[in-house]
Every structure is written in structure tokens, then in C-alpha cells.
Amino acid sequence: MKLDSIKLKNFRGYRNETEITFNDLTAFVGKNDIGKSTILEALDIFFNDGKGTIKLDKADVNIYGSKIGDLDIEITVCFSELPEKIVIDSCVETSLQDEFMLNADGQLEVVKKYKNGGTGKVFIKAKHPTNDKCAELLLKKNSELKKIIRSENIECENQSVNAKMRRSIWNKFSDDLQQDIMEIDVSKEDAKNIWEKLSNYLPTYSLFQSDRKNSDGDDEIQDPLKTAVKQILSDTELQVTLAEVATEVENKLKEVADRTLTKLREMDPAIAASLNP
């Protein structure tokens, strides 16, 4: 995915929603204290959830917003060059387009809202079906999707896979599939699992601050390496290989343990009986 833009609202000096777009090379030029660093630090907060260089707190709420009781900080990021196929639940491939998770410009638009500088809630802002019978399917559990399938007599080849059931339901109402821009809360219930998997497709972002000393132990150095390892280990073929290795190690350990217990039984059966390999 490619970072296209960021929108800031009620964050530090950005009271009203302000959009900043990015190209392959983007530079911010301006006087001190007009919000250049705020843009880069907002990206760090968005991508690294407070585990990067910048920690969000209630002092980051815009002072004018705070005075009128508006305590929600919003950081919105739009992405292009999206993967053709994704896996967001189970192991079945689908696409952002098929799941109606793209905005009017065909981008993935992710909104993170932080109440009073606290933990962020994640929303996907997308052109999504609004029909009562097939809206917010991403938020529904497997049992809820099955109930719709049964009540509407919908044909579905595999009712154990949520993605296939969602597609069957949307196809059923394709003639009257009204759509509108809406925010899908992917912070709750089954949708939370969808966001956890979708977040693996996002770019890695690291903030380097030139006005302080950096070392290879800093989070902004370590986090990209940890993310790379996480992505490597998420590979399906590698997981199969690691599972085979784990099974082989377990078998070898049991073999050694069994031989040890066999010998121990010859010396002290009571002790041997108290041990579990």
C-alpha cells in the first residue's frame, strides 16, 4: 500500500480537519511551531499506536476544542496501490472492493479516533451498502450471517467462511444495493479480527528525530525489524514448515523423556511415577 494523505482534526494546532497529501518525495517548509512536526508525529501515532517515538496524551487535544467539550482527536490516513487480494478472516482470499471497504476515490481510508488522548478506536470510511438486510455485514458474527442466509433463502457454497457468506448476501440484494459513505467500526467484536489482519498490509512507518541522539536500541530502529519478522512469520508456507519443526522437536523431546523415565523406573519407580514427560 502507498500512503496518499493524512487528515488531522482537533489535534494540537489543527482544530478543523486539515488534509495533507503526499508524493514520492514530500518536504514541509515553514516557520517554527506552525505544525510541520505535528504531521510527522501524527503519522507515528497512527501507524505505531503509541509504541513508536510519540506517545499521545490529553494535552494533544486542541485547546479550543477542549474548551467546548470536543475531546476527540481524529487522524485519518488514505492509501492507494492496494493489494488485489487480502485475507481478513479465516484463510480465504477476498478483496477490499468485494468487501465494500473503499471510499469514493477507490482508496482505503482508515480513521482513528482518540477520546481525550486515550486509546484509539478504528473505523474504515467507505462507500458501503446501507440496505437494512445487508448493511454492516463486516460487524456480524458467523452465526448472525448464517441466520440471514437461512431467513432469506440465500444459496451459499460454504457457510463456514464469513467472506463467502457476505458475498452471497450482497449478491442476493445486488439489484437494490444502495451505497453511501459511512464509517465502519472495526474496533469491536468480529470486525476487530478483520482490522488486525488488515493492519498487516499497511506500510511500516518510522520517525527519526534529528534533534536528538539516536541509537540502534531506539524503538524507531527496533520496531521496523520486529514488524519485518512478524510479516515473515505470518507467511502461510513458513508457518507450515515451523509447525513441522515444532512437531519434530516435540517428538524428539518425548523420546528422550521416555528413555529417561524408563531408566529411572529401574532405580526408583515411585519417583518415576510422579513425573510426566
Side-chain angles (χ1 to χ4, degrees):
M1 294 187 188
K2 181 181 179 182
L3 173 65
D4 270 0
S5 66
I6 182 173
K7 300 173 187 176
L8 303 178
K9 183 179 180 182
N10 210 35
F11 180 54
R12 299 183 185 170
Y14 294 92
R15 168 60 185 145
N16 299 318
E17 184 176 86
T18 303
E19 182 176 13
I20 301 96
T21 57
F22 299 95
N23 291 312
D24 291 341
L25 175 63
T26 302
F28 300 110
V29 180
K31 299 178 181 178
N32 290 339
D33 297 322
I34 63 169
K36 301 187 303 297
S37 296
T38 294
I39 299 168
L40 302 177
E41 292 176 358
L43 285 169
D44 184 70
I45 292 168
F46 176 92
F47 281 103
N48 299 315
D49 292 323
K51 299 176 184 178
T53 304
I54 306 302
K55 314 300 179 186
L56 187 70
D57 59 44
K58 59 184 179 181
D60 290 312
V61 178
N62 178 270
I63 188 171
Y64 298 105
S66 182
K67 285 182 178 179
I68 63 173
D70 183 3
L71 303 178
D72 284 336
I73 293 173
E74 291 188 19
I75 302 176
T76 303
V77 177
C78 293
F79 301 93
S80 62
E81 298 185 10
L82 307 172
E84 292 184 4
K85 295 293 182 181
I86 59 171
V87 175
I88 55 175
D89 49 14
S90 68
C91 297
V92 177
E93 287 188 335
T94 181
S95 70
L96 293 169
Q97 183 174 0
D98 286 345
E99 299 290 346
F100 298 98
M101 296 175 70
L102 302 179
N103 65 15
D105 296 321
Q107 301 170 313
L108 173 64
E109 185 169 351
V110 182
V111 184
K112 291 193 176 183
K113 299 181 181 182
Y114 306 86
K115 187 75 171 180
N116 205 23
T119 303
K121 294 187 66 175
V122 187
F123 301 82
I124 303 295
K125 193 172 184 178
K127 191 175 181 182
H128 202 72
T130 58
N131 308 43
D132 291 338
K133 293 184 178 180
C134 60
E136 298 187 343
L137 296 186
L138 288 167
L139 307 182
K140 296 188 182 299
K141 298 178 180 179
N142 183 273
S143 59
E144 294 172 319
L145 293 172
K146 286 181 178 178
K147 185 177 180 180
I148 297 174
I149 293 285
R150 290 195 301 269
S151 63
E152 297 295 333
N153 294 318
I154 299 173
E155 292 186 8
C156 180
E157 60 184 25
N158 190 341
Q159 295 188 24
S160 64
V161 179
N162 289 4
K164 290 186 178 296
M165 285 195 287
R166 288 194 296 266
R167 175 49 42 197
S168 296
I169 295 170
W170 281 322
N171 285 341
K172 170 71 174 181
F173 299 98
S174 59
D175 293 337
D176 187 30
L177 200 61
Q178 301 172 20
Q179 298 179 49
D180 198 1
I181 297 297
M182 60 185 297
E183 291 184 349
I184 307 165
D185 186 350
V186 290
S187 298
K188 60 182 182 181
E189 299 182 7
D190 281 14
K192 186 175 182 180
N193 297 327
I194 290 176
W195 168 244
E196 287 176 354
K197 292 192 176 182
L198 184 59
S199 62
N200 292 328
Y201 294 90
L202 300 184
T204 299
Y205 179 87
S206 294
L207 177 63
F208 295 88
Q209 295 175 311
S210 61
D211 57 351
R212 71 174 179 86
K213 183 179 179 180
N214 290 277
S215 71
D216 56 11
D218 291 341
D219 288 341
E220 60 263 42
I221 306 296
Q222 289 292 316
D223 287 347
L225 298 177
K226 292 177 182 177
T227 301
V229 171
K230 182 179 179 181
Q231 291 176 341
I232 292 169
L233 293 178
S234 67
D235 180 81
T236 304
E237 292 184 3
L238 182 57
Q239 287 181 350
V240 172
T241 302
L242 291 175
E244 292 173 352
V245 172
T247 300
E248 183 66 20
V249 171
E250 183 179 8
N251 291 337
K252 294 294 183 183
L253 286 173
K254 285 183 177 179
E255 182 181 328
V256 172
D258 289 340
R259 289 206 310 267
T260 302
L261 283 177
T262 299
K263 201 66 178 176
L264 189 57
R265 288 190 189 97
E266 298 175 2
M267 298 182 289
D268 194 325
I271 294 179
S274 69
L275 300 177
N276 187 344

